[in-house]
Amino acid sequence: MNRELRKTVIAGNWKMNKLASEIKAFSDELMPLIPGYKGWCDAVVCTPFVILPAALCAFKDTGVGVGAQNMSQHESGAYTGEVSAAQLTDIGTQYVIIGHSERRQYYGETDETVNAKTIAALKTPMTPIVCVGETLEQREKGITNSLVTMQVEVALSGISAEQASKIIIAYEPVWAIGTGKTATPEDAQEVCKVIRDVLKTLYCEKTANAITIQYGGSMNDKNAKELLAQPDIDGGLIGGASLKPDQFAVIINAANQ
Ligand code: 13P
């Protein structure tokens, strides 16, 4: 991470876990564990839609942000079961994860839908966290860098430099998600640097240097420090370890050192 140039952001992705009734206890346990936390690094929890109001209430005035895990690319209308960007911002949601590999894998999301959702999110004050990353098969074929380059190019197509500077990119190798297999700091750095170079080509050095790039995939209290020490890793998108306040706190504190 490079604090002079850009923000460090530690975001928890709770996926389909936790009940509204459990969130106050979570925040009550977390906040005393991050006493120095004053927004030096931004900490965020991304929760299922239905428990966003409880999360917004529990984290009110703590400095910890709250995000959703998905949104519709459409503004409003006959899209049963979907949630719009305006509905999220209306209740105070500050972040939204877009194109998580689980959405791509199980719900047919493509680079094109990721692009449409990112454009829709940028019409609101929310910060989109746009996910990219390769499968094990793609890594073994040696196409990681070209694939991630394409994912970033398509996700950002039609997006100006000014808009892009509001986006967070999360590099999440699919084979590292929920498997306990973390990318080595060197491998994660290599791909995050590729992403930074794509941003330089698409925009300019200044814009690329201002964009936060997170690593995600089995990041935990043990390996966070080493991953965050890499020059192009500016934070983490954390699944399993974000469900436990003690582990999540260690990661936030590692980013604050
Ligand atoms: P894990 O940290 O559980 O591997 O999940 C990573 C992830 O998918 C975050 O979005």
Side-chain angles (χ1 to χ4, degrees):
M1 57 192 169
N2 189 329
R3 267 196 208 116
E4 283 87 65
L5 292 174
R6 50 195 169 254
K7 265 198 175 149
T8 305
V9 183
I10 300 293
N13 174 7
W14 284 0
K15 308 193 178 184
M16 200 173 72
N17 292 295
K18 293 209 185 284
L19 304 174
S21 54
E22 294 171 336
I23 299 184
K24 183 73 173 73
F26 181 96
S27 69
D28 284 350
E29 195 177 334
L30 177 71
M31 294 319 295
L33 300 175
I34 49 173
Y37 176 71
K38 292 213 177 58
W40 176 313
C41 103
D42 286 352
V44 182
V45 290
C46 296
T47 81
F49 290 132
V50 72
I51 65 174
L52 281 169
L56 285 159
C57 184
F59 286 104
K60 192 166 184 272
D61 301 327
T62 62
V64 174
V66 173
Q69 300 170 7
N70 180 32
M71 54 167 266
S72 171
Q73 65 267 48
H74 303 292
E75 275 182 26
S76 64
Y79 301 101
T80 301
E82 290 289 285
V83 173
S84 73
Q87 287 166 335
L88 292 174
T89 48
D90 186 50
I91 61 166
T93 312
Q94 299 125 351
Y95 295 79
V96 59
I97 298 173
I98 293 177
H100 190 278
S101 64
E102 287 149 20
R103 303 276 336 153
R104 295 176 187 252
Q105 198 178 342
Y106 306 134
Y107 302 100
E109 295 204 14
T110 62
D111 291 332
E112 287 71 24
T113 57
V114 170
N115 176 239
K117 289 181 181 203
T118 306
I119 290 171
L122 287 168
K123 290 182 182 153
T124 76
M126 276 190 299
T127 301
I129 302 177
V130 178
C131 302
V132 297
E134 81 287 0
T135 62
L136 184 58
E137 200 187 348
Q138 289 161 335
R139 174 157 282 264
E140 284 171 350
K141 278 191 188 146
I143 59 168
T144 298
N145 292 353
S146 56
L147 178 101
V148 168
T149 296
M150 189 195 66
Q151 288 177 325
V152 173
E153 284 175 353
V154 180
L156 298 184
S157 100
I159 290 172
S160 70
E162 196 195 335
Q163 290 173 312
S165 62
K166 296 182 186 136
I167 293 173
I168 294 173
I169 301 205
Y171 166 56
E172 297 209 301
V174 179
W175 50 270
I177 295 176
T179 58
K181 280 190 220 153
T182 321
T184 63
E186 295 73 26
D187 284 348
Q189 162 60 24
E190 183 188 332
V191 183
C192 290
K193 167 86 167 50
V194 165
I195 294 171
R196 182 101 46 218
D197 289 342
V198 177
L199 297 171
K200 281 183 192 164
T201 310
L202 288 177
Y203 303 108
C204 64
E205 183 138 1
K206 188 161 171 257
T207 302
N209 282 338
I211 295 177
T212 296
I213 302 177
Q214 298 173 320
Y215 167 80
S218 300
M219 193 190 253
N220 59 35
D221 49 339
K222 311 274 180 319
N223 58 30
K225 203 171 168 188
E226 224 186 334
L227 286 158
L228 294 168
Q230 301 300 313
D232 287 291
I233 300 181
D234 313 310
L237 186 54
I238 296 123
S242 75
L243 296 171
K244 303 180 187 97
D246 54 339
Q247 291 188 17
F248 195 41
V250 171
I251 301 172
I252 294 167
N253 290 332
N256 257 336
Q257 271 168 22

